[in-house]
Amino acid sequence: MMRVALAGFGSSGQTIHAPLLHEAGCDVVAVSTSDSARADAARRAGHRDGAPPRSPGTPPAPGVDLVVLATPSGGHAAQVRAVVDAGVACLVDKPLAVDADEAAAVVRYAASATVPLTVFHNRRYDPEHATVARVVADGLVGTPFRYEMRWERWRPVPKERWREQASATEGGGILLDLHSHLVDAAVQLFGPVETVFATVDARTTPAEDDAFLVCRHAGGVVSHLGATSLAGAPGPRVRLLGTEAAYVMADFTGEVHVWNGQADADPAHSGWLYRGDEREPVARGATTQADLYRAVSAALESPDPQAAMPVDPWDAVHTLAVIDAARVSAAQGRVVTVHTPTP
């Protein structure tokens, strides 16, 4: 059983990481938070207190196999370095850092210390993403040429939390929060992004709350990736166009939409394959986000834990390079080439 110290017990730590760790059969041996109310909540949930490493060589807790950083994004880079200095494997919530250069420096730092590092790109393990991946792998739409993915919400009054209230340099904004998932999903399906054109706006929050990216992949597919907090009519999550068919997914766990005609046929299916006015349901993938933690646990038992990690941290660096390029594109109104730092 993998023994885990969880740093951060806010929305992400309480409602995402802790439940998934338990589902995966991990032992959460310590929880650390600077908020007294959250500390009380952690104790009520049966967790004991434990301090994350704050200086080089300070262990996070005795007998810990993995430190999970479910903390505000602006502090990730420094906190990963502290975990590495303690010599404990680390999983950090996405984004790995606030920009690609900082993220690359962190990955190099962990590699030089031979401390395993991975990133919580949990949406790779959504059954919906597994469904799209099978649609692509099995050629169900023929040759794909356009991939549209949306994460749209109707939230005209921002929440009073750091994601909405922090600046981009502090880790706030929809690009680092939601486009980290959208870009990673597109890259997993269609390979690295070469160029980006983007529109980015901050309408209700200090950092952006509305962004749209047009990403051209090395293999030729073009991805349209949109996230906004100001969609009164949230669109279908996925539309994939190919030379022989189209795939449309409207339902997505935990999100609302207004496209009832494209609702899933039943729980065993996710989305529809369309050929004009004909359609057929597509079988739902069988993965769960807890599989990410199961894979991390297996990696730590392997001869080469870093190579076996389910998410290569350099993937997270590329995702941030795409986001960096999107910021430049939006500011300058032009297509921007993505430059990803290398090992």
Side-chain angles (χ1 to χ4, degrees):
M1 181 180 293
M2 183 169 63
R3 296 158 298 181
V4 177
L6 175 59
F9 208 62
S11 174
S12 178
Q14 286 191 54
T15 66
I16 300 176
H17 289 277
L20 291 177
L21 285 163
H22 289 302
E23 182 183 341
C26 302
D27 184 11
V28 180
V29 299
V31 172
S32 174
T33 175
S34 60
D35 184 284
S36 59
R38 292 171 184 170
D40 289 342
R43 283 189 287 271
R44 288 194 299 272
H47 304 301
R48 68 173 183 265
D49 295 334
R54 301 183 185 278
S55 60
T58 303
V64 167
D65 301 310
L66 179 74
V67 171
V68 173
L69 295 175
T71 52
S73 302
H76 283 175
Q79 291 164 357
V80 170
R81 288 175 181 267
V83 176
V84 169
D85 288 339
V88 182
C90 182
L91 179 146
V92 57
D93 209 334
K94 60 80 205 165
L96 173 55
V98 298
D99 60 54
D101 287 338
E102 185 178 48
V106 169
V107 179
R108 296 187 194 106
Y109 191 79
S112 67
T114 63
V115 173
L117 172 65
T118 191
V119 183
F120 191 65
H121 275 296
N122 54 317
R123 293 295 179 173
R124 294 185 183 185
Y125 290 84
D126 282 335
E128 294 88 350
H129 179 74
T131 304
V132 180
R134 187 177 67 82
V135 168
V136 173
D138 291 354
L140 299 186
V141 298
T143 301
F145 60 86
R146 184 181 303 151
Y147 172 66
E148 302 168 7
M149 189 175 187
R150 301 169 184 83
W151 202 318
E152 298 179 342
R153 295 166 170 166
W154 179 234
R155 193 176 289 170
V157 179
K159 290 188 175 183
E160 290 294 329
R161 59 181 186 175
W162 67 264
R163 285 184 180 84
E164 283 78 7
Q165 302 305 323
S167 68
T169 56
E170 296 171 320
I174 212 163
L175 280 170
L176 291 175
D177 184 20
L178 299 186
H179 274 89
S180 289
H181 289 307
L182 300 180
V183 172
D184 183 70
V187 170
Q188 290 304 299
L189 292 170
F190 304 113
V193 174
E194 291 187 334
T195 65
V196 179
F197 178 79
T199 60
V200 177
D201 291 285
R203 304 184 192 279
T204 66
T205 55
E208 71 285 337
D209 57 4
D210 181 27
F212 183 79
L213 278 58
V214 179
C215 302
R216 184 171 295 277
H217 298 265
V221 173
V222 175
S223 290
H224 293 182
L225 309 176
T228 181
S229 298
L230 296 168
R237 178 53 63 98
V238 170
R239 187 175 74 144
L240 174 64
L241 303 184
T243 55
E244 296 178 14
Y247 172 75
V248 177
M249 177 204 301
D251 286 350
F252 194 87
T253 305
E255 301 290 339
V256 300
H257 64 84
V258 299
W259 307 92
N260 295 330
Q262 280 73 48
D264 292 342
D266 54 56
H269 293 87
S270 180
W272 299 85
L273 203 63
Y274 279 88
R275 298 178 185 86
D277 59 359
E278 299 178 357
R279 72 175 188 174
E280 61 183 279
V282 177
R284 178 183 296 274
T287 57
T288 168
Q289 292 185 21
D291 290 338
L292 173 56
Y293 274 120
R294 295 185 182 102
V296 171
S297 181
L300 292 180
E301 295 291 332
S302 72
D304 188 348
Q306 185 60 65
M309 282 295 171
V311 177
D312 186 336
W314 286 105
D315 290 353
V317 174
H318 179 62
T319 291
L320 283 165
V322 175
I323 290 172
D324 291 347
R327 295 191 193 279
V328 175
S329 173
Q332 299 181 2
R334 63 181 180 89
V335 176
V336 173
T337 299
V338 176
H339 296 288
T340 304
T342 59

